[in-house]
Amino acid sequence: MLFKGSGVAIVTPFNGDGSVDYEGLVDLLEFQIENGTDAIIIIGTTGEASTMTEEEKISVIKKTIKVVDNRVPVIAGTGSNDTAAAAAFSKKVADLGVDGLLVVTPYYNKTSKRGLLEHFKKIANAVAPVPIILYTVPGRTGVHIPIETVSELSKIENIVGIKDATGDITYSMDISINTADDFAIYSGNDDMILPILSVGGSGVISVVANCLPRETHDIVESYLNGDSKKSMEIQLRLKPFIDSLFMETNPIPVKAALNLMGLPSGELRLPLYKAEDNTVETLKENLKNLGIIGD
């Protein structure tokens, strides 16, 4: 298992001219590690990977590996809807020394069960023995991994877990039933961390952890240590803020929230655009209620 706990799906900070803010990235990484994050997930959806060049992605991964310096696992998003390209890029990233890869379903193409199986097998074979976490987020990709396909993929030695962003607790339960005990299930929805833990989950790959790394870590740690009441209290206390982080397409609100906190998230790349005024006001109110920012 790559990690138990809270892995942050970290934003990529950009400068005003759209270039990567590497100094800001260092600050964000240190903020995460100082506040108990259990893993760093770089260049994923929240990191705006779809608008980054391959050169930028490689550069950001290298910087992250250097700064983190083995203090927590570094996992890089390398998925694509082109199997050959995804396998080639995943191999290139694996060779950089990451601890694992997060590989999303092949969006837009909407392949068959067999196509999904062969897609992930090809990528897993290309990077072995580097571990892979599958990523299913049908609301964003239009592609769902059937339970029987997850079960079959889980038998591949270096496919070690899944990020489940379906929002369907029954799906999470069925994964738990149909895979081995050491196959990790990570919540891909911040409002479902505790529910997924309760059916065999190992943690979360989180957006809210960008802003509240300690609290997100504590939801998981408390539950795994047997204090489900504390875990529930934190999950419920964060719920209004979590909701506000998804008022618009991720990562629009979380970047706005980080900017409100004085952390270096910077700009978004088109076609994503800055948060609406009402989103910013709601984020501000929720951050105040949590005691994260003042009046």
Side-chain angles (χ1 to χ4, degrees):
M1 187 178 297
L2 269 168
F3 73 96
K4 281 190 175 183
S6 171
V8 61
I10 199 164
V11 303
T12 303
F14 295 123
N15 294 307
D17 63 0
S19 61
V20 176
D21 176 5
Y22 288 98
E23 290 184 7
L25 176 63
V26 172
D27 290 344
L28 291 178
L29 291 169
E30 293 295 347
F31 172 70
Q32 288 296 319
I33 294 170
E34 288 168 8
N35 286 281
T37 284
D38 300 290
I40 304 291
I41 292 80
I42 197 78
I43 62 163
T45 305
T46 309
E48 296 176 77
S50 60
T51 59
M52 295 173 68
T53 66
E54 182 172 310
E55 182 181 5
E56 286 175 322
K57 292 175 187 178
I58 294 293
S59 180
V60 166
I61 294 165
K62 285 181 176 178
K63 186 70 169 181
T64 301
I65 292 170
K66 183 177 180 180
V67 171
V68 172
D69 193 24
N70 295 310
R71 288 179 287 175
V72 297
V74 173
I75 300 162
T78 59
S80 167
N81 64 340
D82 177 343
T83 303
F89 182 60
S90 295
K91 179 66 167 69
K92 189 178 292 188
V93 171
D95 289 345
L96 297 176
V98 294
D99 296 286
L101 304 174
L102 180 68
V103 181
V104 73
T105 52
Y107 44 87
Y108 188 76
N109 291 339
K110 291 193 172 182
T111 185
S112 62
K113 291 181 185 179
R114 182 59 184 268
L116 280 172
L117 185 66
E118 296 301 324
H119 173 82
F120 285 115
K121 280 174 65 177
K122 185 174 179 68
I123 297 169
N125 289 337
V127 304
V130 174
I132 284 176
I133 298 172
L134 308 173
Y135 181 16
T136 180
V137 55
R140 195 138 187 167
T141 66
V143 179
H144 176 73
I145 311 179
I147 291 296
E148 56 267 35
T149 307
V150 176
S151 179
E152 189 68 22
L153 289 167
S154 73
K155 297 171 186 174
I156 297 172
E157 188 172 358
N158 64 320
I159 295 183
V160 300
I162 187 168
K163 177 183 177 182
D164 175 7
T166 62
D168 180 358
I169 194 66
T170 301
Y171 181 76
S172 306
M173 294 169 69
D174 285 339
I175 295 172
S176 193
I177 291 166
N178 289 282
T179 58
D181 290 345
D182 61 353
F183 187 76
I185 305 170
Y186 300 105
S187 176
N189 296 81
D190 285 318
D191 59 356
M192 291 187 67
I193 303 171
L194 178 56
I196 285 181
L197 288 170
S198 74
V199 296
S202 301
V204 60
I205 295 178
S206 171
V207 175
V208 71
N210 279 280
C211 304
L212 304 175
R214 176 63 63 184
E215 292 84 347
T216 312
H217 164 86
D218 287 350
I219 292 173
V220 182
E221 183 178 64
S222 298
Y223 186 87
L224 295 179
N225 287 342
D227 193 346
S228 57
K229 184 174 186 294
K230 180 179 178 182
S231 180
M232 178 191 70
E233 288 171 350
I234 302 169
Q235 175 81 84
L236 295 179
R237 180 162 55 88
L238 300 191
K239 178 66 163 50
F241 180 55
I242 290 169
D243 289 346
S244 64
L245 289 178
F246 296 93
M247 290 175 66
E248 298 183 52
T249 301
N250 177 51
I252 294 170
V254 72
K255 279 200 153 184
L258 287 167
N259 284 327
L260 288 168
M261 293 171 64
L263 289 168
S265 71
E267 304 296 323
L268 294 142
R269 284 185 173 176
L270 289 169
L272 298 184
Y273 193 67
K274 66 180 182 179
E276 299 287 344
D277 290 346
N278 68 313
T279 301
V280 174
E281 287 306 311
T282 304
L283 290 166
K284 189 181 296 185
E285 181 181 352
N286 283 318
L287 286 167
K288 286 179 182 177
N289 290 340
L290 290 168
I292 304 301
I293 63 173
D295 293 327

